[in-house]
Amino acid sequence: HYGATTQDIQDTGQSLEMRDVLDELTPVLTGIIARLADLAEQHAATVAVGRTHAQPALPIGFGLKIASWVDELLRHLDRIDTARERVLAAQLFGGAGTMAGFQQHGAKLLEGFARRLGLHAPAIGWHTARDRVVEYATVLAMASGTLGRVADEIRTLSRPEFGELREAWRPGKVGSSTMPHKRNPEGCEQVVVM
């Protein structure tokens, strides 16, 4: 191990995996936000039923509802961006976190190691401090929760008794294998499940 521990390697590997997920998630969220922002602008004056407690309340512009989704997703994008420095950290502190195996070169070695991997060099070892992983999971859960909420609203409002929204449809998409007249909101249901 040359002064590193298995935990150093596992934690750093986990940080690299977390980075890869955030790198994939950021453009996906950015694309969703851009599409929703376009729809919000397009439907700013489209009259829709405003609801509180899932019950009809007052008329609203449908764009307002979409804008609220955009606002929430923008906060998640900001959370992802600001969390990167805290959660994407290298780990190279050796046994008991002392860097003793690296003699006086520990801090310099950590800096170079972190830079080469595109991670941050923490001030101290974090073998037992798992708040980085918890923050990462929390940010993902929050973004997933918002996407699930949006998808559930689209799914609910696409019910025939409401008929206010529906999932995008394209030729060749199957609504139901046995009832071709149906347009099941499969995409929304998959987002809700996730």
Side-chain angles (χ1 to χ4, degrees), residues 14 23 27 85 94 140 145 155 180:
Q14 183 178 45
D23 287 350
E85 189 170 340
L140 292 184
R155 183 190 63 81

Side-chain angles (χ1 to χ4, degrees), residues 71-91:
D71 186 53
E72 191 171 340
L73 289 169
L74 284 169
R75 287 192 301 277
H76 296 318
L77 209 52
D78 184 54
R79 285 180 184 103
I80 289 168
D81 189 48
T82 59
R84 284 178 178 271
E85 189 170 340
R86 287 186 303 276
V87 305
L88 302 180
Q91 176 76 291

Side-chain angles (χ1 to χ4, degrees), residues 27-137:
V28 169
L29 284 179
T30 301
I32 291 169
I33 289 166
R35 179 67 178 122
L36 288 174
D38 288 345
L39 285 171
E41 187 175 323
Q42 180 183 349
H43 292 284
T46 302
V47 177
V49 176
R51 288 186 170 76
T52 59
H53 303 279
Q55 302 300 309
L58 298 170
I60 63 168
F62 182 61
L64 178 64
K65 179 187 294 278
I66 298 171
S68 74
W69 301 342
V70 169
D71 186 53
E72 191 171 340
L73 289 169
L74 284 169
R75 287 192 301 277
H76 296 318
L77 209 52
D78 184 54
R79 285 180 184 103
I80 289 168
D81 189 48
T82 59
R84 284 178 178 271
E85 189 170 340
R86 287 186 303 276
V87 305
L88 302 180
Q91 176 76 291
L92 193 63
F93 288 85
T98 66
M99 289 186 162
F102 307 126
Q103 299 165 5
Q104 72 275 12
H105 306 292
K108 187 175 179 181
L109 182 62
L110 173 63
E111 282 291 331
F113 178 66
R115 186 175 42 257
R116 184 170 182 182
L117 294 174
L119 299 172
H120 298 282
I124 196 161
W126 54 277
H127 290 302
T128 58
R130 307 320 283 177
D131 61 294
R132 287 181 167 88
V133 179
V134 171
E135 181 178 358
Y136 166 81

